Amino acid sequence: MSDTADRSARVYEQEPSEPASEDERRRRRWERRRTASRSARRVLARSGLHRTIRQRLALLEAAGEVYDLDESVDVYGDGVVAALEAKVARLLGKEAAAFFPTGTMAQQVALRCWAGRTGNAAVALHAEAHPEVHERGAFSQVSGLRPVVLTAEPRQPTAEEVRDCEEPFGALMLELPLVGPGHLLPSWEELTDLVEAARERDAVVHFDGARLWESTVHFGRPLDEIAALADSVYVSFYKSLDGFGGAALAGPSTLVEEAKAWRHRYGGTVFQQFPTALSALLGLERELPRLPSYVRHARVVAAALAGGLAAAGVPWSRVHPEVPHTNEFQVWLPYDADTVAEAAVRTAEETGTLLFARAWDAPVPGLAVTEIDVRAPGLEWSAEDVRTAVADFMVRLEEEAGRAGVRADG
């Protein structure tokens, strides 16, 4: 028996005789998936989320390549933090940038600053924009802002929806890419039309660019040209660049100076942040140049996944978008989400290949969706490797579906 198969067997042996609660079963599966991610011989991406503290700290062993480690440590935002801010401003072609401990704080501050300048606290956005879905109503509860939803359709808003919005708004916030419906980006023409529509309404434009770094392939434009369309841009250092955390807000120097004052008021001017800042500088040095190759290879992986699922005879499945806009995309399968999740973990435990590293959600009963992320390890996968992994997964998925009495229709 292989090490991975033996490990899988031990997991089943340790299951208690009494049925576990739904939360407990999911917690155990999360632990198994994290263990499989660490030990798998082949993965499409290795996220910092699944690594040990020791593995994450090892990232800083190369910090001397991006900053003089004999310099004094940062104190409340100077030193290495200020160097990071300057680098981000240059990359995005903006006058200045401010480091924030979280993207939530960065965007709250940016948009409340714009509200003060425009005299309008309404922010036009998509129904699935991050502040609406993941921030517990922080816009209205903390910052005095009022979201105005342009659309709930699983796509980017259109220029027509911006022009036809019944309510006046001070800022248009565009999430690039829009994560919820599948990491979707507009075309370059659509993006410029959206920005022009906002200008016609005397609104400022803010880009929620947490993952803007990987948008250059789709747009066919460099980062600074993309960022130039917006009055302000937020970027993340951990979502694409594998940093420890943190974010930056870039824009006019007067806005950034005001944002730093609000950062202090929000409790975001932290005493020392050199580990996070160094990890961000390393991400900009190492990961940023690789992102275009990840995006291009994600298209190879997506096509092979779709082909593998079709060859396996799955009656209905979908890779969305069919041609990924970034290095992340969705896979939809006509099975119960818990059944698919168990099959995905089992496949990793028994074969040493982790095809599906993220959780599976159930938007409706009998339908499961997950996200695929392609990074440096994924570049080693050929299309045939992907199809083989799909075949191995489908064997176990049919076994799990049989056990659960849940089979795909047809």
Side-chain angles (χ1 to χ4, degrees):
M1 182 182 292
S2 68
D3 289 343
T4 50
D6 181 55
R7 185 163 52 250
S8 177
R10 288 197 299 271
V11 168
Y12 285 114
E13 287 168 5
Q14 291 169 1
E15 291 291 323
S17 56
E18 292 296 321
S21 68
E22 186 75 9
D23 288 344
E24 179 63 16
R25 287 193 301 107
R26 290 182 177 177
R27 185 194 66 78
R28 290 177 191 161
R29 189 177 293 131
W30 154 248
E31 291 293 344
R32 289 168 58 200
R33 189 167 67 246
R34 182 167 63 177
T35 299
S37 177
R38 291 174 181 173
S39 61
R41 296 186 299 274
R42 172 163 284 181
V43 295
L44 287 167
R46 291 198 185 276
S47 169
L49 179 66
H50 292 144
R51 295 182 182 179
T52 65
I53 294 174
R54 185 182 302 279
Q55 288 171 329
R56 292 299 277 155
L57 287 175
L59 176 66
L60 295 184
E61 292 175 0
E65 299 174 10
V66 294
Y67 194 77
D68 184 356
L69 300 186
D70 290 323
E71 290 286 332
S72 298
V73 294
D74 59 298
V75 178
Y76 293 121
D78 64 3
V80 66
V81 174
L84 173 61
E85 292 171 337
K87 186 175 182 68
V88 169
R90 288 195 301 273
L91 285 168
L92 297 178
K94 298 299 186 184
E95 290 181 356
F99 180 86
F100 281 80
T102 71
T104 296
M105 185 186 295
Q107 297 204 110
Q108 296 287 320
V109 167
L111 290 165
R112 85 173 293 154
C113 288
W114 284 126
R117 290 162 184 247
T118 64
N120 189 327
V123 180
L125 40 61
H126 192 282
E128 293 212 27
H130 195 279
E132 282 296 273
V133 178
H134 298 293
E135 296 177 16
R136 298 190 178 188
F139 265 16
S140 56
Q141 295 296 318
V142 178
S143 300
L145 300 169
R146 184 167 61 85
V148 174
V149 173
L150 293 170
T151 181
E153 293 295 316
R155 54 164 172 76
Q156 288 281 353
T158 66
E160 289 73 20
E161 287 165 338
V162 172
R163 292 188 176 97
D164 296 341
C165 183
E166 295 178 351
E167 298 187 60
F169 52 86
L172 169 65
M173 178 177 141
L174 295 174
E175 184 177 322
L176 301 175
L178 185 61
V179 173
H183 296 262
L184 303 180
L185 290 164
S187 68
W188 180 252
E189 292 73 20
E190 289 168 339
L191 180 59
T192 55
D193 285 348
L194 276 162
V195 171
E196 179 58 30
R199 304 286 187 223
E200 291 170 9
R201 300 194 58 153
D202 296 323
V204 299
V205 177
H206 172 76
F207 284 171
D208 174 346
R211 298 171 173 85
L212 188 71
W213 307 113
E214 60 260 44
S215 68
T216 57
V217 173
H218 177 83
F219 287 134
R221 301 291 195 285
L223 274 170
D224 57 352
E225 187 174 346
I226 299 167
L229 294 177
D231 297 284
S232 59
V233 180
Y234 141 67
V235 289
S236 172
F237 295 124
Y238 76 89
K239 288 184 170 67
S240 304
L241 303 180
D242 204 31
F244 292 169
L249 170 66
S253 57
T254 53
L255 177 81
V256 171
E257 284 306 308
E258 183 184 0
K260 287 182 177 180
W262 280 106
R263 179 183 67 186
H264 196 171
R265 294 180 180 122
Y266 273 66
T269 304
V270 180
F271 176 48
Q272 289 183 338
Q273 299 182 94
F274 64 90
T276 301
L278 287 171
S279 73
L281 286 170
L282 281 165
L284 291 171
E285 179 71 18
R286 293 180 167 188
E287 285 297 294
L288 183 59
R290 298 175 181 173
L291 289 177
S293 66
Y294 300 170
V295 176
R296 287 188 286 268
H297 200 64
R299 297 172 178 178
V300 175
V301 172
L305 258 168
L309 291 169
V314 181
W316 181 93
S317 64
R318 188 178 183 191
V319 171
H320 177 69
E322 185 176 347
V323 177
H325 297 177
T326 72
N327 59 311
E328 298 180 76
F329 58 91
Q330 294 178 340
V331 176
W332 293 69
L333 292 175
Y335 290 84
D336 173 76
D338 279 346
T339 300
V340 181
E342 181 60 30
V345 173
R346 268 193 58 207
T347 304
E349 292 170 337
E350 295 170 10
T351 70
T353 295
L354 181 61
L355 179 61
F356 299 113
R358 295 188 177 178
W360 289 83
D361 294 323
V364 295
L367 193 62
V369 59
T370 192
E371 292 181 341
I372 295 286
D373 181 12
V374 178
R375 302 198 188 193
L379 299 179
E380 301 175 5
W381 291 50
S382 67
E384 184 58 33
D385 292 332
V386 176
R387 288 189 288 267
T388 298
V390 171
D392 288 340
F393 163 73
M394 286 304 305
V395 168
R396 289 157 180 85
L397 178 54
E398 288 300 328
E399 291 173 354
E400 292 298 328
R403 289 192 184 102
V406 180
R407 293 188 180 277
D409 292 338

